[in-house]
Amino acid sequence: MPGESDDPRAIRAVAVHADDVVTALEATERGREAVLRITAPFAGRVRARLHVVQATEPADDGHGGPAPIRIPPRKLVTADATTVSTGR
């Protein structure tokens, strides 16, 4: 596909579904490391997808390509975002 690159500096914008951010925050609050992940090939506009990090997971993609970019969900919400307790 035109515009694809192995260079993460090619990214200008990241699209994220709000539901993925909320789900990642909930998982992280419950003790599982969840991030929004972008994998190569990179393009000017990419989508970050929900990803639960496994303890045995390698830092790279396992195929010798560039390492995935992991965005902590807290980076995508404001500091004054409200916490809602579900009583669980």
Side-chain angles (χ1 to χ4, degrees):
M1 178 178 279
E4 291 184 348
S5 170
D6 282 342
D7 186 352
R9 294 174 296 178
I11 299 171
R12 294 184 312 275
V14 176
V16 180
H17 282 286
D19 288 345
D20 287 348
V21 175
V22 171
T23 301
L25 285 167
E26 288 174 341
T28 300
E29 289 294 318
R30 290 188 173 107
R32 298 193 71 191
E33 183 184 1
V35 297
L36 290 302
R37 185 174 76 163
I38 304 166
T39 56
F42 304 112
R45 180 184 160 110
V46 294
R47 175 161 177 232
R49 298 182 184 276
L50 176 63
H51 177 75
V52 177
V53 180
Q54 304 299 313
T56 58
E57 182 177 308
D60 62 9
D61 68 357
H63 298 102
I69 298 170
R70 295 176 178 166
I71 304 170
R74 282 269 169 226
K75 295 274 186 180
L76 302 175
V77 295
T78 61
D80 63 348
T82 339
T83 301
V84 177
S85 175
T86 60
R88 291 182 196 182

